[in-house]
Amino acid sequence: MKHCFTILMLLFAVIIAQGQQSVTGTVTDDQGNPLAGVTVTVKENPSLLTQTDNNGHFSINANSGQTLVFTAIGFADREASITGAVVSVSMQGSDQTLEEVVVVGYGVQKKESLTGALQVVQGDELKDITNPSVENMLNGKVSGAFVAPGSGRPGSGGAVVIRGQATLSGTTSPLWVIDGVIIGSSPGDLNPNDIETMTVLKDAASTAIYGSQGANGVILVTTKRARAGITTVNVSTRMGVNQLTNGNLEVMNGAELYDYYASFENANSISFPRWNEDLRNSNFDWWDLATKNGFVQDHNVSISGGTEKLRSYLSVGMYDEKGAVKGYDYRRYNVRLNQEYTPFEWLTIKPSVVGARRGVKNQEYSVTSMYSNLPWDSPFDAEGNLVPHRSSTWVNSASTNYLYDLQWNHSASTNYELMGSLDFEVQLTDWLTFSSVNNYRYITYASNGYTDPRSNGGLSVNGRITDYRSESARRYTNQMLTVNKTWGKHSLFAVGGYEFNDYWGKTLDVYGTGFIPGFEILDVVATPERTKGGISEWAVQSFLSKVNYTYDSRYLVEASLRRDGASNFGDNAKYGNFFSISGGWNIQNEHWFDAAWVDILKLRASYGSSGNRPSSLYPQYDLYSVSTSYNGDSGALISQIGNRDLTWEKTMTTGVGVDASFLDDRIRTTLDFYHKNTGNILYNVPISGLTGVTRIWQNIGEMNNKGVELTVGGDIVRTNDWLWSLDVNMGHNVNKLLDLYPTRNADGTYSVKPVIIGDGAGIAGSAEYVLEPGRPVDTYYLKEWAGVNPENGAPMWYVVERDAEGNETSRETTSNYAEATIEKLDKASPKLFGGFATTVQYKQFDLGAVFGYSIGGKLYNYSRQEYDSDGTYTDRNQMKLMSDWNRWEKPGDIATHPVAKYNNQDKGNQVSSRYIEKNDFLRLRSLTLGYNFKLNQYGMKNVRVFFAGENLFVLTDYSGVDPEIPANDGSVLSSTGPGVYPATRKYMFGLNVSF
């Protein structure tokens, strides 16, 4: 009986199979190009499915008379009846603008349902930029995002400020979120080649869901993942050279410096031993000594592919750059493995592993000496040997020969970053999903330094060896329920869940002195000079929710609510609530709207809050410092008075905007207005030091930022062979301090008084800012330069008298620096900033250019205090005057520069507004010419070669090295130091191959 049943089943299978046939075909787009990755299913039996290969070919078993269904992202679904063994179709592109999905906080949404202000930067927009820092790559690409670039030193990171400075203490950097994981105020060692998209969230509707971490904006990064059915190998390589760009700053050669000294009003008092005309022929070029054409290489390989059940993306990369200042080598390795495993239709598991190693070898030539060392002094003697420190052969015999130390001294550092995630999604119903993101990030950093006993720095201690170690770990998890349901004209997207994020860090810092030259480990030192270490911890937990409702694709409403609890607040204010409410109107979907040339016309409005925590980890506690301060015995002294009532800094943002697209997306624009009010500002307030504590954390004031952002783009020419597009963005922000903490007056009353703070440069004698209600927080507070007295060439400053209300009543000039009054002057931040890009494509050729600009900003050029000192400093070189500058020589001269004197004591180079300069600029950030080869017959999807130039020119009247002052540890500066590492110009050749 059993055998009979088996025979019957085989006969039945044969009968069924006789009705099936192998159907093959090709799928192309409306231009005839083959489409890979198109899903092909049988309408009558959806379990039968396949996908097209790289050439658009497919094969599937189906019955004659059945229907094949073709689906692909970005294309309208297509159906075709089976009438023979071959079925080939062409698919039409769907309306990408309406169907495009965008990554937002804790999910993705259709672009047409968005109510917030955000901007998406595609990974392709970064492909021709050679830089290991993702922050630098954003420069000029996002309206309202001000980017202070890193310096030309390899690996130097930039600083990003979105919609103005929103706090007085702590970081102004946005929050970085990579693949749903909160990383912090920096993207770390993220490989730019792994980026799929970057979404910059700006307003409350977008950032409030991140609560206490969203006040400075949020940048969401999505890394690349594999698509089912398509195996792709991408190889990219680029190599080239970098060279320093010195801007408008030129220091004098030997002849020019001699003529400058000879022109001194008191030149007859110059009496150093080598003072004679032979100095005109002493012309050592310290710039040429320290610089070279550095070498840059960036190589990346990625492999992606898989099935409907298992998909993998693997990438490895190596970035290596030799500094254009000799002696600095930077190298980074990256690896990333992103996987998606779908064992069941209702379950998707997403494990990922990311690793990076960054190494630096530093025996760098002195950047400051490139400018400051006298051309009359050479580091070598007549036989080519290095001269020792304070050489009698030097004019500046009090100075050291840094090259003498550099033959021994060096340092190095290594950083390892490892991050692992185990995420999963459970499809509970067709509209309800549970998702879990679980991540662990570990970083270990080690640096060491060697100062030889024979060097200037090691002579007094018989050499020094330093060793610094740090390790940190960060855990992150969020558990979310997501509703995504559409019924009739109604659409609902909602998320709700729990999030936890904590940090642990440990440092060890050891110095040892006294050893035999050549030994570089701490075992050999005679004296343990310093041993320090510390542990830091913090944690944040959150409950969050967001709802987006759309009616008939016309009316949009969104609301979010988040409750954060942080470890660096006391029990009185441990938790803070943050919210947003926003709405949108898709006017183009109204039935009465009849303008076929309008693709999109959306109005948006939002209001909500985000926040900030103090930069200190434990401001709520009374703290004690323990040190060996009592005859070698440990003792404890109070170091901090805690504030248990310290509460959250909150930023309330109101925004309105419009998105528009016309003529089949040929013209597109976005316009936003915003108003940000930051209250309960966190600040470490100065107090009386009677208790031994000089500051306490308090909530002290209020600040406002308001501005406008505009993005305009268009395809000027768009045909089958030609594409010429132009995109322009701009940002304008006005900052104002509204309130500040009151201080006690002599009569016992309290009032708000201006607070003077440094400019962040960390240089004694540099510029200062004033914090005063009614003024921007970056308002310069300096003595005001009045020019040069035409009668005697003396420097002049203003003496201003004011009444009790602060109104100016008189203004006079003085040449006595001590008599000059300190005034509240210009602000540092620009009035207008942004960028524009243009692309021209003709068949397989492409040409692209990206420009950046800034208008209305002011920099304090401290370097001029030393290199434009009117003879005050005779131990360092001096800069040449700009073409529109002139120096006073005789009575009646109207000059920009005072009379020069040897050892000048007129104080003309003291800190004042003399050295505040406009830093308006237009910079060509990149220019790329590429060609795409069509080599499908050889199994290659694309082969592209390109030549690129970066930072090719900058137009500016700023007299310094660069009008964009390099960022300092993620902070934006507005004052230069004496030795600015210049930006580099790069010339690169690149090759991208996909197969």
Side-chain angles (χ1 to χ4, degrees):
M1 186 69 182
K2 179 179 179 181
H3 295 294
C4 292
F5 179 77
T6 303
I7 293 171
L8 288 173
M9 292 300 295
L10 289 172
L11 289 173
F12 181 75
V14 170
I15 293 170
I16 296 295
Q18 285 178 344
Q20 288 187 339
Q21 59 181 329
S22 178
V23 179
T24 61
T26 303
V27 182
T28 60
D29 62 15
D30 52 8
Q31 301 295 320
N33 300 311
L35 289 178
V38 178
T39 301
V40 185
T41 60
V42 178
K43 188 174 184 179
E44 292 77 8
N45 185 5
S47 63
L48 296 174
L49 60 87
T50 188
Q51 286 191 323
T52 58
D53 61 18
N54 294 335
N55 297 312
H57 298 153
F58 72 92
S59 177
I60 192 170
N61 291 325
N63 296 328
S64 180
Q66 289 183 323
T67 301
L68 296 181
V69 180
F70 303 85
T71 58
I73 296 175
F75 292 87
D77 293 352
R78 176 71 189 273
E79 295 185 358
S81 297
I82 301 173
T83 58
V86 178
V87 176
S88 295
V89 298
S90 174
M91 300 183 70
Q92 300 293 318
S94 64
D95 191 336
Q96 290 290 297
T97 305
L98 295 179
E99 296 300 322
E100 181 182 354
V101 294
V102 177
V103 177
V104 294
Y106 303 97
V108 296
Q109 290 178 230
K110 284 186 178 181
K111 188 174 182 179
E112 71 166 354
S113 71
L114 298 175
T115 60
L118 54 84
Q119 193 165 339
V120 179
V121 178
Q122 299 292 336
D124 286 347
E125 297 180 51
L126 313 177
K127 65 183 180 181
D128 296 334
I129 303 173
T130 308
N131 197 301
S133 169
V134 177
E135 303 99 315
N136 291 335
M137 294 183 167
L138 280 174
N139 214 329
K141 293 183 171 62
V142 178
S143 62
F146 179 82
V147 180
S151 71
R153 178 176 285 119
S156 175
V160 183
V161 178
I162 298 174
R163 291 188 166 182
Q165 179 179 336
T167 185
L168 291 180
S169 61
T171 180
T172 57
S173 300
L175 178 70
W176 288 82
V177 180
I178 302 177
D179 289 335
V181 178
I182 291 177
I183 299 298
S185 59
S186 165
D189 284 326
L190 174 66
N191 185 357
N193 290 276
D194 288 335
I195 295 176
E196 184 74 33
T197 62
M198 284 194 290
T199 305
V200 181
L201 310 182
K202 306 176 187 178
D203 68 343
S206 304
T207 64
I209 191 66
Y210 288 99
S212 63
Q213 302 174 87
N216 297 321
V218 182
I219 300 178
L220 308 178
V221 178
T222 302
T223 61
K224 295 176 181 177
R225 293 188 175 269
R227 295 171 58 188
I230 304 174
T231 299
T232 302
V233 178
N234 290 301
V235 179
S236 70
T237 183
R238 63 194 79 179
M239 293 181 289
V241 297
N242 60 24
Q243 56 184 218
L244 295 181
T245 58
N246 203 31
N248 290 324
L249 176 61
E250 292 184 76
V251 293
M252 298 180 181
N253 61 30
E256 291 164 337
L257 188 62
Y258 177 84
D259 292 341
Y260 173 60
Y261 272 48
S263 72
F264 286 161
E265 185 181 65
N266 58 345
N268 57 355
S269 67
I270 302 175
S271 60
F272 57 83
R274 290 182 58 197
W275 175 242
N276 58 68
E277 197 166 352
D278 290 342
L279 284 177
R280 293 179 56 86
N281 301 319
S282 295
N283 190 28
F284 187 82
D285 194 333
W286 289 91
W287 175 275
D288 185 64
L289 168 75
T291 64
K292 64 176 182 179
N293 286 337
F295 181 69
V296 187
Q297 55 181 329
D298 187 12
H299 310 291
N300 291 272
V301 178
S302 67
I303 304 172
S304 64
T307 65
E308 291 290 338
K309 288 189 175 294
L310 179 61
R311 298 165 297 282
S312 299
Y313 170 85
L314 173 65
S315 76
V316 293
M318 189 274 283
Y319 182 94
D320 181 273
E321 184 171 0
K322 313 296 182 186
V325 175
K326 295 176 183 177
Y328 195 92
D329 296 343
Y330 173 96
R331 177 173 291 186
R332 191 176 76 186
Y333 298 95
N334 289 87
V335 61
R336 175 178 292 272
L337 176 61
N338 289 344
Q339 289 191 308
E340 295 184 34
Y341 176 47
T342 310
F344 310 104
E345 289 185 4
W346 52 269
L347 176 62
T348 301
I349 304 171
K350 302 177 181 180
S352 68
V353 177
V354 183
R357 180 194 184 275
R358 166 170 36 95
V360 170
K361 293 181 179 180
N362 186 1
Q363 205 166 8
E364 187 176 75
Y365 282 49
S366 171
V367 174
T368 301
S369 295
M370 289 162 41
Y371 308 104
S372 63
N373 279 15
L374 298 176
W376 300 328
D377 299 330
S378 170
F380 307 105
D381 60 21
E383 286 73 38
N385 301 312
L386 289 170
V387 301
H389 299 306
R390 289 164 285 277
S391 171
S392 61
T393 65
W394 279 22
V395 171
N396 184 17
S397 58
S399 184
T400 60
N401 178 11
Y402 81 86
L403 212 60
Y404 185 79
D405 286 355
L406 207 60
Q407 62 183 318
W408 305 300
N409 296 350
H410 59 269
S411 64
S413 65
T414 307
N415 188 84
Y416 290 93
E417 182 177 319
L418 180 66
M419 187 166 66
S421 293
L422 183 59
D423 308 343
F424 61 89
E425 291 182 0
V426 179
Q427 192 73 40
L428 300 174
T429 69
D430 60 351
W431 53 268
L432 180 62
T433 304
F434 171 77
S435 62
S436 178
V437 175
N438 307 281
N439 177 269
Y440 185 83
R441 187 181 185 210
Y442 178 78
I443 299 174
T444 177
Y445 173 83
S447 66
N448 57 80
Y450 173 82
T451 304
D452 195 89
R454 296 161 290 184
S455 69
N456 186 62
L459 201 59
S460 62
V461 292
N462 199 24
R464 176 179 286 113
I465 292 175
T466 66
D467 198 347
Y468 178 84
R469 307 292 174 94
S470 72
E471 57 177 328
S472 63
R474 190 162 179 169
R475 297 182 298 177
Y476 175 85
T477 182
N478 74 53
Q479 315 301 317
M480 307 289 297
L481 280 173
T482 301
V483 174
N484 197 346
K485 187 173 180 60
T486 300
W487 67 102
K489 295 182 179 181
H490 310 276
S491 295
L492 179 68
F493 174 82
V495 297
Y498 171 80
E499 180 177 272
F500 179 81
N501 190 9
D502 72 352
Y503 169 91
W504 171 89
K506 181 178 181 180
T507 62
L508 178 64
D509 191 4
V510 181
Y511 285 16
T513 59
F515 55 88
I516 300 172
F519 289 91
E520 299 187 17
I521 58 174
L522 285 166
D523 261 0
V524 304
V525 302
T527 305
E529 183 182 26
R530 183 174 85 177
T531 303
K532 295 180 64 176
I535 295 178
S536 300
E537 296 178 304
W538 57 258
V540 177
Q541 69 171 351
S542 310
F543 303 90
L544 54 100
S545 61
K546 178 172 68 172
V547 177
N548 178 282
Y549 170 75
T550 303
Y551 176 74
D552 198 23
S553 297
R554 290 183 289 165
Y555 310 120
L556 322 169
V557 178
E558 184 171 305
S560 71
L561 178 64
R562 180 176 178 125
R563 181 169 174 80
D564 280 345
S567 62
N568 50 349
F569 285 110
D571 294 337
N572 297 347
K574 179 120 1 232
Y575 283 87
N577 298 318
F578 307 91
F579 75 94
S580 73
I581 184 167
S582 57
W585 181 21
N586 285 317
I587 300 175
Q588 79 280 355
N589 291 335
E590 290 289 353
H591 304 301
W592 49 262
F593 189 81
D594 186 18
W597 52 278
V598 177
D599 306 315
I600 294 176
L601 184 57
K602 178 197 285 187
L603 297 180
R604 295 178 281 103
S606 66
Y607 177 74
S609 61
S610 53
N612 200 9
R613 308 194 306 273
S615 57
S616 174
L617 294 182
Y618 317 109
Q620 72 272 38
Y621 297 128
D622 296 335
L623 298 182
Y624 292 82
S625 63
V626 179
S627 62
T628 56
S629 55
Y630 298 97
N631 294 322
D633 294 327
S634 293
L637 290 173
I638 187 170
S639 61
Q640 176 178 287
I641 298 175
N643 183 354
R644 296 184 183 277
D645 296 321
L646 193 69
T647 189
W648 301 80
E649 182 177 286
K650 283 193 177 182
T651 298
M652 308 298 299
T653 303
T654 303
V656 294
V658 59
D659 303 318
S661 174
F662 311 102
L663 302 175
D664 193 22
D665 204 36
R666 279 183 177 268
I667 303 174
R668 46 202 175 264
T669 185
T670 297
L671 177 64
D672 277 284
F673 298 90
Y674 63 87
H675 188 278
K676 295 170 56 177
N677 252 70
T678 302
N680 287 331
I681 291 176
L682 292 162
Y683 196 69
N684 208 6
V685 177
I687 60 175
S688 170
L690 292 177
T691 62
V693 178
T694 58
R695 288 181 176 270
I696 184 173
W697 279 95
Q698 292 181 355
N699 298 101
I700 54 92
E702 187 177 356
M703 184 196 309
N704 175 263
N705 284 276
K706 58 183 178 181
V708 59
E709 299 163 355
L710 176 65
T711 301
V712 178
D715 296 335
I716 301 171
V717 177
R718 191 168 73 189
T719 67
N720 289 337
D721 291 334
W722 282 94
L723 174 64
W724 177 20
S725 64
L726 177 65
D727 292 276
V728 181
N729 71 77
M730 59 80 69
H732 168 69
N733 183 79
V734 177
N735 172 278
K736 183 184 291 187
L737 187 65
L738 302 180
D739 194 15
L740 203 59
Y741 61 91
T743 56
R744 183 184 176 96
N745 300 315
D747 60 1
T749 61
Y750 284 82
S751 63
V752 174
K753 301 180 182 64
V755 176
I756 312 305
I757 61 174
D759 61 1
I763 302 172
S766 187
E768 292 182 319
Y769 296 145
V770 58
L771 299 178
E772 183 180 44
R775 298 182 183 274
V777 296
D778 57 350
T779 299
Y780 286 111
Y781 188 64
L782 307 169
K783 297 194 175 187
E784 188 174 0
W785 179 250
V788 178
N789 189 325
E791 299 303 318
N792 57 16
M796 295 191 301
W797 302 269
Y798 285 110
V799 179
V800 180
E801 293 187 2
R802 302 180 184 276
D803 59 24
E805 284 72 39
N807 301 310
E808 182 176 325
T809 58
S810 67
R811 175 179 290 259
E812 298 178 351
T813 62
T814 180
S815 291
N816 185 341
Y817 181 78
E819 293 178 353
T821 52
I822 303 177
E823 299 298 318
K824 300 153 188 174
L825 303 172
D826 301 304
K827 69 183 182 71
S829 54
K831 296 178 180 178
L832 194 68
F833 60 91
F836 56 94
T838 185
T839 301
V840 179
Q841 296 178 6
Y842 174 69
K843 294 185 177 180
Q844 284 104 281
F845 286 97
D846 61 82
L847 176 67
V850 178
F851 294 83
Y853 66 88
S854 178
I855 301 171
K858 301 289 180 65
L859 295 182
Y860 185 79
N861 191 352
Y862 169 83
S863 65
R864 284 182 56 199
Q865 284 188 232
E866 299 197 15
Y867 308 139
D868 186 18
S869 66
D870 312 321
T872 302
Y873 293 123
T874 58
D875 60 347
R876 63 208 71 178
N877 203 354
Q878 297 293 290
M879 62 185 288
K880 300 179 186 179
L881 299 189
M882 297 278 286
S883 60
D884 56 343
W885 293 353
N886 64 305
R887 188 173 298 282
W888 187 93
E889 295 178 353
K890 61 183 185 304
D893 283 352
I894 305 300
T896 59
H897 282 54
V899 60
K901 304 175 184 177
Y902 189 68
N903 287 324
N904 197 337
Q905 299 302 308
D906 290 345
K907 299 188 181 301
N909 74 319
Q910 294 296 297
V911 56
S912 76
S913 64
R914 172 186 179 182
Y915 298 125
I916 293 180
E917 298 187 41
K918 294 181 179 179
N919 69 324
D920 300 351
F921 69 86
L922 172 65
R923 185 189 297 274
L924 177 56
R925 299 202 184 279
S926 66
L927 179 66
T928 307
L929 174 64
Y931 184 82
N932 296 276
F933 294 90
K934 290 188 175 181
L935 301 173
N936 293 340
Q937 65 271 31
Y938 300 108
M940 296 184 180
K941 296 178 183 177
N942 186 58
V943 176
R944 180 173 183 264
V945 296
F946 66 91
F947 296 93
E950 300 177 28
N951 191 27
L952 294 182
F953 70 78
V954 57
L955 303 178
T956 183
D957 290 331
Y958 175 66
S959 68
V961 174
D962 196 323
E964 293 183 280
I965 294 182
N968 178 30
D969 194 25
S971 299
V972 177
L973 296 181
S974 56
S975 294
T976 65
V980 177
Y981 196 118
T984 55
R985 181 182 294 119
K986 294 178 182 176
Y987 300 95
M988 306 296 296
F989 167 78
L991 171 67
N992 298 331
V993 180
S994 299
F995 52 87

